[in-house]
Amino acid sequence: MSNVVTLERLETVGIIKIDSPPVNALSTAVRKGILECTKQAIADPQIKAIVLTCAGRTFIAGADITEFGKPAQEPGLDKVLQEIENSPKPVVAAIHGTALGGGLEVALACHYRVAVKDAKLGLPEVKLGLLPGAGGTQRLPRAVGPELAVKMIVGGDPINADAALQAGLIEEIVDGPAAGAQIFANKVLAENRPLRKLRDDDSKLAAARADRSIFTNAVAALTKRARGLEAPFAAADAISYTLDLPFDEGLRKEHETFLQLLAGEQSIAQRYAFFAEREAAKLAGVPAGTKPRTIERVAIIGGGTMGGGIAMSFVNAGIPVTLIETGEEQLTRGLGVMRKNYDASAARGGIPADAPAKRMALVNGVVGIENVKDTDLIIEAVFETMTIKKSIFGLIDTYAKPGAVLATNTSFLDINEIAEVTKRPQDVLGMHFFSPANVMKLCEIVRADKTAPDVLSTAVAVARKIAKIPVVVGVCDGFVGNRMLMARTKQAEKLLFEGALPQQVDAVITKFGLPMGPFAMGDLAGLDIGWRSRKDRGIKSEIEDALCEAGRFGQKTGQGYYKYEGGSRAPLPDPDVEKLIDATLLRLGRKRRVVTDEEILERVTYSMINEGARILEEGIAARPSDIDIVWLYGYGWPIYRGGPMHYADQVGLRHVADRLSYYAAETNDPSLEPAPALKRLAQQGGTFAGSR
Ligand code: CAA
């Protein structure tokens, strides 16, 4: 028998225990072990009921994702589930931690399920570009009804034990999983309860079979945000089989779709992103066992949009914040915006009605930097001007207690220069949040030359604590995200000089899957900021300058690259902008040519990839997958395309390099010459993923 799954008899109950750290995933050994132990328990005349339980921190967290894409090994999960479901002896799943994906499917094949109070149950396969492949779409609607099943399968979010009990997904909430399940199993035996096989129980399907809108409305509510994704729609179709087809037919069709999705590009990208996210948390160059410093109170300097959003992220995680402003007026305004945001979330039902007051009670708004003195982490979030940042860090150095971590939220500036104004550069680093900071998940953790390892691991740990996804990057202009964004913006603007219109460029980008194109993004951020800064530096950007000179600053003035009508944020193409572009090109003696969508897509995405290759070569990012995480969680790169570097690997680096060389020559732009690292990999027929 396999040693990851064991069978033990406690009086008349056979306890099958899975012990396969870290998360008891259904590897071949685990599937084999469950199958063998179930057969053995069925054959043992002294065993009258069976409990399926797990050691360690969690019940089965799903199929073993590392086995996906490799040749399938026997026994398949379907065989294991058949054995459990057809057992003549009652089988009880004892759930703790998370019963996810294939794990919940195992539990659904059991006749009964019990769970501890803090357990979570879910079918998150859509998040990996899949649907449940072992009967989840057929059994869950029979357990909880199609409406909740749609929420759990198409939405992919788990439910807690209380909700599971209420929905009939579990029979009882127990204190200890194995012991509780054993007591429950004895009760089943004593009461001689019939075996409950979900496959045979259509009672919860009756309402939706009579009124299909129950199902279609639930699907419509969840798929409206699933633009571009295949899996949520495939999952909804599979759930609909429960309304139209016999169980076995539904099961067969579900599995067929699962295999199709598994082999598809979207799932490959989404599985890649799952592991990339976990890789990003592993710190290169930090000695093992480095202990993060304790962070109990955080100071945030600057209560503007960014500072307020960062403060909310900490408060949401229960960490008290000292919010520091320069005057009472600014402070009142900053606190007011935070309160308004919380009230709006409460009104939408996103947080409980009493949460705004409770969360604001964790914020101590004060005037004066001397108030950093009792805090363990200080995050500066003021204007993006080196002289201001330096003077603030000088003051922080005067007042902060020894050992406090000093972070700047700068998005471009040289953090080494900022660190040098303090007497403790080892405590200084960047924590670069993305706007809106209370919503966006990315936090670039910028390691400066002298940042101490424990300071770095503190920033990473604290970012995770506030539910951000930290990625460690090095110091350079714009770090990883904004540096690549600048390369993209440069191409987008050049395309206007060659004949494209803002709406054409943006449409190509949104069709590719990003939430917004570069010009709509510029309008949102405000074009005047860049214009003023260009004027200071004596730099020109003819078209954007002309827009600003015409008072078109973007959304805030109701017109920029687009026009915005009646206070709406929806960008509308504006013939006046086309005229303005034509006039600018005429003035510069340039002619518009036809620019194809293909050229737009290649130039904006390949220029980013090229910059990514430079970033890797310079060691600014430790891994290509770190760059992908930055773009997935900081800029809305579509998850089903895995991030720019993964996308480049899929397209083929030789093609990317060839096209870049072509555009470099055609448009006389040396920045498009393939970076040495990209060129090398392309020549070797390699990939970014394989280069590490
Ligand atoms: N397969 C293989 N490895 C897995 C895994 C899985 N299903 N789930 C987690 N792991 C690994 C992680 O990669 C990580 O490994 P490293 O330590 O080497 O990086 C380790 O387990 C711990 O994972 P986390 O860092 O994520 O730990 P956590 O405590 O923060 O979260 C979790 C635990 C909630 C289970 C989370 O890991 C998770 O959500 N896992 C994926 C669950 C999932 O999607 N299941 C469905 C799989 S698809 C399926 O089941 C299809 C089917 O129908 C048959």
Side-chain angles (χ1 to χ4, degrees), residues 22-23 25 57 61-66 68 77 98 100-103 105 124-125 128 130-134 258 274-275 278 282 464:
V23 295
R57 65 197 216 204
D64 185 340
I65 308 169
T66 59
F68 287 167
L77 187 55
T98 44
L100 296 178
E105 291 180 297
E125 283 88 342
L128 298 172
L130 296 168
L131 50 61
F258 174 80
F274 175 85
F275 288 113
R278 280 150 187 84
K282 293 172 189 155
R464 293 193 88 180

